[in-house]
PDB file of all heavy atoms in Angstrom:
ATOM      1  N   ARG I  45       5.826  27.859   2.903  1.00 98.00           N
ATOM      2  CA  ARG I  45       5.495  29.175   2.354  1.00 98.00           C
ATOM      3  C   ARG I  45       5.765  29.238   0.853  1.00 98.00           C
ATOM      4  O   ARG I  45       5.076  29.942   0.109  1.00 98.00           O
ATOM      5  CB  ARG I  45       6.306  30.259   3.068  1.00 98.00           C
ATOM      6  CG  ARG I  45       5.792  30.633   4.438  1.00 98.00           C
ATOM      7  CD  ARG I  45       4.347  31.127   4.410  1.00 98.00           C
ATOM      8  NE  ARG I  45       4.179  32.234   3.469  1.00 98.00           N
ATOM      9  CZ  ARG I  45       3.029  32.545   2.883  1.00 98.00           C
ATOM     10  NH1 ARG I  45       1.941  31.821   3.075  1.00 98.00           N
ATOM     11  NH2 ARG I  45       2.966  33.580   2.066  1.00 98.00           N
ATOM     12  N   VAL I  92       8.885  34.477  -6.315  1.00 98.00           N
ATOM     13  CA  VAL I  92       8.526  34.821  -7.695  1.00 98.00           C
ATOM     14  C   VAL I  92       9.629  34.337  -8.624  1.00 98.00           C
ATOM     15  O   VAL I  92      10.790  34.725  -8.486  1.00 98.00           O
ATOM     16  CB  VAL I  92       8.281  36.328  -7.884  1.00 98.00           C
ATOM     17  CG1 VAL I  92       7.988  36.632  -9.351  1.00 98.00           C
ATOM     18  CG2 VAL I  92       7.100  36.792  -7.031  1.00 98.00           C
ATOM     19  N   ASP I 178      31.660  43.419  -8.907  1.00 98.00           N
ATOM     20  CA  ASP I 178      31.991  44.847  -8.905  1.00 98.00           C
ATOM     21  C   ASP I 178      31.158  45.602  -9.939  1.00 98.00           C
ATOM     22  O   ASP I 178      30.840  46.787  -9.746  1.00 98.00           O
ATOM     23  CB  ASP I 178      33.483  45.039  -9.178  1.00 98.00           C
ATOM     24  CG  ASP I 178      34.351  44.664  -7.986  1.00 98.00           C
ATOM     25  OD1 ASP I 178      33.796  44.527  -6.876  1.00 98.00           O
ATOM     26  OD2 ASP I 178      35.571  44.481  -8.166  1.00 98.00           O
ATOM     27  N   SER I 239       9.897  17.255 -17.462  1.00 98.00           N
ATOM     28  CA  SER I 239       9.196  17.361 -18.732  1.00 98.00           C
ATOM     29  C   SER I 239       8.217  18.525 -18.684  1.00 98.00           C
ATOM     30  O   SER I 239       7.781  18.951 -17.612  1.00 98.00           O
ATOM     31  CB  SER I 239       8.449  16.058 -19.019  1.00 98.00           C
ATOM     32  OG  SER I 239       7.721  16.143 -20.219  1.00 98.00           O
ATOM     33  N   HIS I 268       5.202  21.226 -14.639  1.00 98.00           N
ATOM     34  CA  HIS I 268       4.354  22.247 -15.238  1.00 98.00           C
ATOM     35  C   HIS I 268       3.039  21.611 -15.670  1.00 98.00           C
ATOM     36  O   HIS I 268       3.043  20.537 -16.281  1.00 98.00           O
ATOM     37  CB  HIS I 268       5.021  22.882 -16.465  1.00 98.00           C
ATOM     38  CG  HIS I 268       6.248  23.672 -16.139  1.00 98.00           C
ATOM     39  ND1 HIS I 268       7.026  24.276 -17.109  1.00 98.00           N
ATOM     40  CD2 HIS I 268       6.849  23.975 -14.955  1.00 98.00           C
ATOM     41  CE1 HIS I 268       8.034  24.909 -16.527  1.00 98.00           C
ATOM     42  NE2 HIS I 268       7.949  24.740 -15.218  1.00 98.00           N
TER      43      HIS I 268
END
Side-chain angles (χ1 to χ4, degrees):
R45 282 302 305 155
V92 177
D178 286 345
S239 178
H268 294 177

